[in-house]
């Protein structure tokens, strides 16, 4: 029997929903604004894809946030501040995530094609359990129904650790990992897939690295889009992505090509 791709593990925001990965960015900027701290869009997007408390913690360790925090509160942000921020962040993120739950164009068609080819569909996300409990029913109404959903609350550590991919493999009953593909729009997604021993595909135009909504994409100068696209490609390549796709519609052919490489004895490095 010819060896092939047995499962594809997708990220959520910026990959299969939420074109431009806007939900966490909006929620983070508003969270800090309420504390008189200015968080830029670019800074909010750094380390995107991580488990959300870890993402918040990384932001509180940046010089730009520490300096503002000192100016406003006369001390550096500490663990109590992290806990308070996270407690407020989750309800805000739930509202934002539900607002941006629409599937990205081409995703439902790719899911249908994978099922036709008997390739299992799994997902991982930096969103915790309580947020996914709100998001999943809304996504299902849009027709988005993966075979497996693993969130960051279910493992000891989120991305870039491979644990969510391993748990997907267990639930799907699929192995070895080199017959699986990880698709995501953040560098953390790529590291997660590589650490799990999987083939990886980085998504560009709908994702965090370009960071434009569909409406913004239509209104933005083509040269500027190309500049953002090239920057994102360079980051994905540096992170070690095996393939880079402009959008999800290109992934069907890439998955087929990976299957051909597997059947020839190739393995992801």
């Amino acid at each position: 029997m010819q060896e092939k791709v047995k499962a594809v593990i997708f990220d959520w925001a910026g990959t299969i929903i939420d074109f431009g990965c806007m939900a966490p960015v909006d929620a983070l900027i508003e969270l800090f604004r309420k504390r008189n701290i200015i968080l830029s869009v670019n800074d909010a997007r750094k380390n995107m894809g991580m488990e959300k408390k870890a993402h918040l913690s990384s932001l509180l360790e940046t010089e730009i946030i520490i300096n503002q925090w000192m100016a406003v509160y006369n001390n550096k942000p500490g663990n109590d501040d992290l806990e308070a921020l996270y407690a407020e962040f989750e309800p805000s993120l739930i509202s934002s995530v539900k607002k941006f739950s629409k599937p990205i164009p081409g995703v439902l068609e790719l899911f249908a094609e994978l099922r036709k080819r008997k390739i299992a569909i799994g997902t991982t996300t930096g969103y915790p359990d309580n947020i996914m409990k709100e998001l999943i029913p809304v996504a299902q109404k849009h027709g988005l129904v993966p075979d497996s959903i693993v969130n960051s609350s279910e493992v000891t550590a989120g991305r870039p650790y491979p644990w969510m991919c391993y748990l997907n493999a267990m639930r799907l009953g699929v192995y070895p990992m080199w017959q699986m593909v990880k698709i995501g729009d953040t560098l953390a997604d790529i590291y997660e897939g590589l650490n799990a021993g999987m083939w990886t595909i980085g998504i560009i135009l709908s994702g965090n690295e370009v960071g434009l909504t569909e409406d913004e994409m239509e209104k933005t100068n083509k040269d500027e889009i190309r500049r953002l696209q090239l920057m994102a490609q360079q980051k994905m390549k540096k992170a070690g992505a095996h393939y880079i796709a402009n959008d999800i519609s290109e992934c069907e052919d890439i998955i087929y090509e990976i299957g051909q490489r597997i059947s020839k004895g190739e393995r992801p490095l």
Side-chain angles (χ1 to χ4, degrees):
M1 182 177 179
Q2 185 184 41
E3 293 181 313
K4 63 168 189 175
V5 172
K6 292 182 177 179
V8 179
I9 311 300
F10 295 86
D11 169 53
W12 280 77
T15 302
I16 60 174
I17 62 167
D18 188 4
F19 196 108
C21 198
M22 303 306 296
V25 173
D26 282 3
L28 282 168
I29 290 173
E30 178 61 15
L31 178 70
F32 281 93
R33 185 196 66 78
K34 290 179 179 178
R35 285 167 169 74
N36 298 310
I37 305 294
I38 298 172
L39 178 67
S40 72
V41 171
N42 286 339
D43 286 332
R45 289 190 180 280
K46 290 176 183 177
N47 294 325
M48 192 66 73
M50 294 175 66
E51 184 272 328
K52 294 311 167 197
K53 184 180 279 190
H55 189 183
L56 271 174
S57 180
S58 72
L59 287 171
L60 293 180
E61 294 171 358
T62 60
E63 185 177 352
I64 191 167
I65 296 299
I66 290 173
N67 290 341
Q68 290 186 74
W69 204 279
M70 287 288 294
V72 175
Y73 299 106
N74 204 32
N75 55 40
K76 293 183 178 181
N79 191 61
D80 289 345
D81 298 306
L82 172 61
E83 294 298 331
L85 282 166
Y86 188 64
E88 186 178 333
F89 179 55
E90 283 201 349
S92 174
L93 185 56
I94 287 172
S95 175
S96 188
V97 161
K98 290 169 74 173
K99 184 171 70 173
F100 291 101
S101 62
K102 180 182 175 183
I104 288 171
V107 170
L108 296 180
E109 291 81 359
L110 179 57
F111 274 32
E113 182 60 29
L114 292 177
R115 288 204 163 98
K116 192 184 301 181
R117 291 165 56 182
K118 301 188 185 308
I119 296 175
I121 300 168
T123 60
T124 67
T125 178
Y127 292 149
D129 186 62
N130 61 335
I131 291 175
M132 291 307 292
K133 283 180 179 177
E134 297 288 335
L135 172 59
I136 290 169
V138 180
Q140 287 177 337
K141 289 180 181 178
H142 289 298
L144 201 58
V145 187
D147 301 318
S148 172
I149 300 171
V150 178
N151 68 65
S152 58
S153 299
E154 299 180 80
V155 292
T156 54
R159 301 165 184 151
Y161 292 93
W163 315 137
M164 288 193 289
C165 290
Y166 290 165
L167 188 50
N168 266 286
M170 291 171 63
R171 289 180 177 173
L172 295 169
V174 172
Y175 71 96
M177 300 303 292
W178 48 260
Q179 284 188 265
M180 298 173 64
V181 178
K182 175 66 204 294
I183 300 179
D185 67 292
T186 68
L187 303 185
D189 284 301
I190 301 304
Y191 297 138
E192 177 188 37
L194 293 173
N195 288 337
M198 300 167 65
W199 299 87
T200 58
I201 304 174
I203 297 291
I204 299 297
L205 293 180
S206 67
N208 180 68
E209 295 303 324
V210 169
L212 298 175
T213 65
E214 289 180 88
D215 186 54
E216 289 170 338
M217 192 77 70
E218 290 180 4
K219 296 176 181 177
T220 300
N221 180 278
K222 289 184 179 180
D223 289 338
E224 174 62 10
I225 291 175
R226 181 60 179 162
R227 184 186 71 82
L228 293 170
Q229 191 176 7
L230 288 173
M231 286 178 60
Q233 288 172 346
Q234 289 170 0
K235 289 181 181 179
M236 288 287 185
K237 185 176 181 180
K238 187 176 180 180
H242 296 101
Y243 292 89
I244 299 168
N246 287 315
D247 55 55
I248 204 76
S249 67
E250 295 181 359
C251 290
E252 182 182 338
D253 288 342
I254 294 174
I255 293 166
Y256 178 80
E257 181 177 329
I258 291 171
Q260 294 293 102
R261 293 177 65 178
I262 290 171
S263 68
K264 294 175 183 177
E266 292 189 51
R267 304 291 181 264
L269 299 176

